[in-house]
Amino acid sequence: MNSILVIRGGAIGDFILTLPALKALRDAYPNARIEILGYKHIAELAENRFYAQRVRSIESAALARFFAKAPELPPGLAKYFAGFDLIISYLYDPDSIFETNLRRSGAKKVIRGPAKIDPPKSASRTDSSGGEDGFAVANNRSPATHQLAQPITELGLTISDFAPKVFPSDEDRHQAKTFLAGLTTPIVAVHPGSGSDRKNWPLPNWIALGNDFLANSKGSLVIVSGEADQLQVRQLESIWLNSRVRFAKNLPLTELAALLGNTIFVGHDSGISHLAAAGGADCILLFGPTDPAIWAPLNENAQVIRAADGDLRRLDVDPVRAVLDQELMRIGIST
């Protein structure tokens, strides 16, 4: 197995949840050339950062031909696919049209991974104390990382660690250090957004949590945001006019991963939360309607607070503040 291509679209969290499968490939074939066909700004988390030697953009007009029945295949792309000993595709392909065209191009071995995560088969919830709600971790559902590892089991390989990890480069760490320069420790990073309003804790709660931290600690606050978080960030910028507050807007994911590894992170069920956990941040993750047994990071450095009835509007500030205080004390800093 000298050359492997992994085709992985999807959002940030989808890609990170696939990293344990990629790690199993790298561990099994340490000398293989591994490439990723995906969204370049996401997949660069793996490029020359342990997992893969190269990333190629999935946003190609020529690739669309591979989703048509019996098309004339673009010669360049067909030759590219034929150059791999193994192709693993996570693309949605219900009629196997894309897979068929990969084989027509000369691909030697093609394995399809799940394009989506199966929903839970039951809806029971338990917490670490045996009661309802609170810290919800159930054992009767299959975590997303396990489901995405299906191609690895087809190859006869095993995965011993399902906790995704990213490996920032020296340049990534340098950029992160430059961004954080001048901030006092401890540094708490928060991401008040996600891909859905239903998964978001109300903004006044974030403000109360941040104000409490700034009032009772000498540490600094980093607000992480992307394009979907502009409304929340504008409000926070008008409130936190403080030299101990810094806004990390639309940073490259490679730099953001290195940055978050130096923080205590508080966020929702989002791709940025998965990035923080994979980057080594001590994470406090607030879950509402989505099931943490499936979607929460399996990293030991991540803990989940589940809102009652899956409604984040019902999650008060006090329990989140208490867990944050515990984390600060754990690292030897009392608020």
Side-chain angles (χ1 to χ4, degrees):
M1 198 75 72
N2 296 316
S3 56
I4 301 170
L5 175 67
V6 178
I7 307 176
R8 185 56 167 128
I12 298 169
D14 300 319
F15 183 82
I16 293 173
L17 287 167
T18 315
L19 290 180
L22 288 174
K23 185 176 187 302
L25 287 174
R26 174 51 72 204
D27 289 343
Y29 307 109
N31 298 317
R33 172 175 60 92
I34 299 180
E35 297 192 16
I36 298 172
L37 184 64
Y39 295 111
K40 199 166 179 63
H41 72 287
I42 299 174
E44 67 178 356
L45 286 165
E47 187 175 25
N48 295 317
R49 294 169 176 85
F50 175 72
Y51 294 102
Q53 285 92 337
R54 184 187 177 194
V55 166
R56 181 168 174 152
S57 175
I58 202 171
E59 298 176 284
S60 163
L63 188 64
R65 300 284 298 278
F66 279 77
F67 289 91
K69 290 184 177 180
E72 181 179 345
L73 297 176
L77 201 50
K79 182 179 180 181
Y80 174 73
F81 289 136
F84 291 96
D85 298 315
L86 169 66
I87 297 177
I88 298 176
S89 173
Y90 286 91
L91 297 184
Y92 182 66
D93 187 24
D95 299 319
S96 300
I97 294 174
F98 183 74
E99 179 182 353
T100 298
N101 285 328
L102 285 179
R103 297 185 188 281
R104 287 181 60 220
S105 71
K108 300 174 181 66
K109 184 178 180 64
V110 180
I111 297 178
R112 289 168 59 183
K116 62 179 182 178
I117 302 303
D118 289 335
K121 295 180 180 180
S122 65
S124 61
R125 283 203 307 270
T126 58
D127 65 9
S128 57
S129 63
E132 295 183 355
D133 301 313
F135 298 84
V137 178
N139 297 315
N140 57 349
R141 308 164 183 84
S142 180
T145 49
H146 288 235
Q147 296 187 42
L148 292 168
Q150 168 255 317
I152 303 305
T153 60
E154 286 192 30
L155 288 168
L157 306 177
T158 59
I159 299 180
S160 58
D161 185 1
F162 285 93
K165 295 177 179 64
V166 293
F167 302 95
S169 67
D170 290 342
E171 178 61 22
D172 300 332
R173 297 184 189 281
H174 173 74
Q175 293 295 334
K177 184 177 180 181
T178 300
F179 180 90
L180 296 173
L183 291 180
T184 55
T185 57
I187 299 173
V188 172
V190 302
H191 178 220
S194 73
S196 166
D197 288 341
R198 293 179 64 242
K199 295 196 295 183
N200 289 351
W201 202 32
L203 192 63
N205 292 351
W206 285 109
I207 295 170
L209 183 70
N211 284 342
D212 182 80
F213 172 73
L214 292 170
N216 296 289
S217 167
K218 295 181 180 179
S220 303
L221 200 58
V222 171
I223 314 302
V224 179
S225 67
E227 292 182 3
D229 310 315
Q230 293 182 15
L231 180 60
Q232 295 102 317
V233 169
R234 280 198 296 268
Q235 295 182 59
L236 296 178
E237 284 179 318
S238 67
I239 294 170
W240 285 329
L241 303 174
N242 189 316
S243 61
R244 291 160 54 206
V245 179
R246 195 160 294 175
F247 289 83
K249 300 180 183 180
N250 300 314
L251 293 183
L253 296 178
T254 50
E255 178 182 340
L256 185 58
L259 186 160
L260 293 175
N262 295 284
T263 73
I264 296 173
F265 176 85
V266 189
H268 302 120
D269 173 19
S270 72
I272 298 301
S273 293
H274 283 285
L275 182 67
D282 295 312
C283 297
I284 302 167
L285 306 182
L286 314 182
F287 269 68
T290 50
D291 188 347
I294 297 175
W295 295 107
L298 297 181
N299 307 68
E300 292 183 356
N301 50 301
Q303 59 180 309
V304 169
I305 301 177
R306 183 77 183 272
D309 298 324
D311 187 351
L312 279 167
R313 294 171 299 180
R314 298 183 59 187
L315 178 61
D316 293 331
V317 175
D318 287 344
V320 181
R321 180 189 295 119
V323 175
L324 177 57
D325 287 346
Q326 289 173 6
E327 279 299 303
L328 291 168
M329 288 188 286
R330 188 184 64 79
I331 62 175
I333 300 168
S334 177
T335 59

